[in-house]
Amino acid sequence: MVALRLIPCLDVANGRVVKGINFLNLRDSGDPVELACKYSEAGADELVFLDIRASVENRKTLVDLVSRTAKSVKIPFTVGGGINSIISINDLLRAGADKVSLNSSAVKNPDIISKSSTNFGTQCIVIAIDARKKISKSNEWEVYVKGGRENTGLDVIDWARKVEELGAGEILLTSMDGDGTQNGYDILLTQTVANAVNIPVIASGGAGCVEDIYDVFTEGKASAALLASLLHDKKLTIDEIKSFLIKKKLPIRPN
């Protein structure tokens, strides 16, 4: 059985790690390189580094910061934010990233998914989907881009199936409704997407306790759990989470 993964997420703005609630009211959480090293040494399975303002500000991800961070860790590392061309993907992979995460650019130009997976391999291409529940529908979600500022009108399930067809190797699925709340993942959203595709789904948005992580693995069918404020606020450590999940007989890599 493939091991389930715990993945700290470093949302970066102006060279600092930040975290908010529902994509708003960002607060400083530290230096990205220092936190990357800390989580790598603590036993994280992978890291995700997202330049959350790159798409909004129409600029490229900070390649220098990516390079310094990648050189400091010993685990796989995903980079996202403002990536809109094969050249920029190549630059980031050469800078040390193991994978790239595409969101706004993939919605605007879906061909970038197929072209990048052909050039670099599906294992390098992660499609980030920021999902918000429709006001009138409890089991339907729409895709948002531009750091959660723009509603595309796309149905999340349809888009997830489409990106898999185009060559995505993995989906990073964020519940905008749960983001930063520490009230638990959106289990229905995660489960629905995971059941609709045959590629791994990383659950993101809402982790507040070890039971939330257990639930998203068992009920939500996630292949990985993204963790941010839970770790940044020192509410739990990676070791504590892993110990709990191992006792629950889940396939987790021990530290």
Side-chain angles (χ1 to χ4, degrees):
M1 183 178 291
V2 177
L4 301 172
R5 293 166 290 152
L6 297 177
I7 307 177
C9 181
L10 307 178
D11 289 339
V12 176
N14 301 318
R16 299 287 293 179
V17 176
V18 296
K19 190 59 192 170
I21 297 177
N22 307 131
F23 285 37
L24 300 172
N25 301 318
L26 301 179
R27 64 185 187 277
D28 188 282
S29 293
D31 178 79
V33 178
E34 289 180 5
L35 281 177
C37 291
K38 172 185 173 182
Y39 294 142
S40 176
E41 293 170 359
D45 299 301
E46 297 183 19
L47 289 168
V48 167
F49 167 40
L50 299 176
D51 185 346
I52 61 172
R53 288 183 176 160
S55 292
V56 177
E57 297 172 0
N58 193 29
R59 59 171 172 75
K60 295 181 180 179
T61 303
L62 302 174
V63 175
D64 177 63
L65 180 58
V66 171
S67 178
R68 290 190 292 113
T69 304
K71 290 175 182 176
S72 302
V73 301
K74 302 175 182 178
I75 54 178
F77 189 71
T78 301
V79 181
I83 305 170
N84 55 19
S85 69
I86 297 299
I87 292 174
S88 58
I89 293 173
N90 184 64
D91 289 344
L92 290 166
L93 294 176
R94 287 176 62 87
D98 296 279
K99 309 175 190 177
V100 295
S101 173
L102 308 174
N103 186 348
S104 301
S105 63
V107 172
K108 183 178 180 180
N109 176 27
D111 284 347
I112 195 173
I113 304 174
S114 54
K115 289 179 180 177
S116 59
S117 63
T118 297
N119 276 273
F120 306 108
T122 58
Q123 77 283 353
C124 289
I125 308 304
V126 179
I127 299 302
I129 300 178
D130 293 336
R132 173 163 278 169
K133 190 179 297 181
K134 288 186 179 180
I135 296 176
S136 59
K137 301 284 187 178
S138 61
N139 60 346
E140 292 184 18
W141 303 264
E142 292 174 309
V143 177
Y144 281 68
V145 294
K146 299 288 184 181
R149 291 169 173 80
E150 182 180 312
N151 183 0
T152 67
L154 288 171
D155 178 79
V156 165
I157 310 306
D158 291 342
W159 179 235
R161 291 189 176 117
K162 181 67 173 179
V163 302
E164 180 183 21
E165 289 175 9
L166 290 170
E170 197 163 21
I171 290 172
L172 170 51
L173 178 67
T174 299
S175 166
M176 292 181 62
D177 302 294
D179 175 70
T181 64
Q182 297 190 23
N183 291 328
Y185 294 98
D186 188 328
I187 300 298
L188 180 59
L189 167 65
T190 308
Q191 181 189 79
T192 303
V193 173
N195 286 338
V197 298
N198 295 304
I199 55 178
V201 174
I202 305 169
S204 171
C209 62
V210 287
E211 288 81 7
D212 292 338
I213 301 165
Y214 176 80
D215 289 345
V216 86
F217 282 140
T218 55
E219 297 177 38
K221 310 300 181 186
S223 297
L226 206 71
L227 308 168
S229 55
L230 181 71
L231 297 178
H232 302 339
D233 296 343
K234 301 179 181 179
K235 187 172 181 179
L236 284 171
T237 66
I238 293 170
D239 188 60
E240 288 171 337
I241 298 168
K242 284 196 170 186
S243 295
F244 175 86
L245 297 176
I246 289 171
K247 287 179 181 177
K248 290 287 189 178
K249 308 299 183 184
L250 292 188
I252 300 293
R253 297 184 184 93
N255 284 347

